[in-house]
Amino acid sequence: MGYFTGGVFDGVQSFATTTLHQTHLVSPTTGESQHLELLGCTRPVAGDEYGPFPGVLEWVAERLAATGKAVLRGDVVSLPMPLRPGGTLAHLYAAMPVYFDDAFFSVDLENGTHVSVAWLVPLHGVEADYVTERGWPVFEEELTKQDPDLFDLGRPPMSL
């Protein structure tokens, strides 16, 4: 697991899988081979220095490896429990890592393998339902309009 701090956004910590790309995954829509790494970002919460993402990314990576299916932009992953006790962020939205440099979206390894990075953004149930019902392009328009703090695990749901 990779751990990153000191980025563009003050106080934000990021975690990334580092070996998922070695697992052969298939796009559920095209059937094409996919190689992925997962990214999760949050602000630390007092008393929980690293937050839930190390365990959550491991859980999602294991799930992807078990099914052999890749998570694609716009997909919603439902978690078995909220990201923090008493919270309602119990879903993850697969997005491009737009808060990072464009070069961070993917990497070509020395062996020729193309690896995409999927940023897993925490969602409330109403937001996850909105993605499912309206589609990811419309949801991303709402993200741009409303500009919620996607690093805050205590953020309120967007008005949808």
Side-chain angles (χ1 to χ4, degrees):
M1 184 77 49
Y3 173 65
F4 314 93
T5 61
V8 173
F9 294 96
D10 190 40
V12 172
Q13 57 188 6
S14 301
F15 299 89
T17 58
T18 56
T19 59
L20 180 60
H21 72 275
Q22 297 170 352
T23 302
H24 177 75
L25 301 173
V26 175
S27 165
T29 57
T30 66
E32 294 178 8
S33 179
Q34 301 282 313
H35 296 277
L36 298 174
E37 292 298 347
L38 307 174
L39 175 70
C41 308
T42 187
R43 287 193 175 82
V45 177
D48 189 5
E49 190 175 326
Y50 295 110
F53 272 110
V56 168
L57 292 179
E58 183 178 327
W59 181 84
V60 174
E62 288 174 358
R63 181 173 173 239
L64 296 179
T67 65
K69 292 182 182 174
V71 64
L72 305 175
R73 180 180 183 187
D75 285 349
V76 174
V77 176
S78 295
L79 299 172
M81 66 181 74
L83 288 170
R84 67 179 213 176
T88 59
L89 291 167
H91 307 274
L92 300 170
Y93 174 75
M96 294 176 65
V98 295
Y99 292 146
F100 292 82
D101 294 334
D102 289 352
F104 199 80
F105 288 15
S106 65
V107 65
D108 291 315
L109 302 180
E110 290 177 3
N111 67 3
T113 301
H114 181 79
V115 180
S116 298
V117 177
W119 176 26
L120 298 181
V121 178
L123 294 186
H124 293 279
V126 65
E127 297 164 342
D129 292 344
Y130 189 85
V131 173
T132 302
E133 294 165 9
R134 303 285 305 274
W136 68 263
V138 175
F139 177 68
E140 289 191 5
E141 287 176 20
E142 285 297 325
L143 284 174
T144 301
K145 285 181 198 173
Q146 297 189 35
D147 194 26
D149 184 353
L150 299 177
F151 305 126
D152 180 3
L153 295 183
R155 73 172 176 85
M158 292 191 315
S159 300
L160 300 171

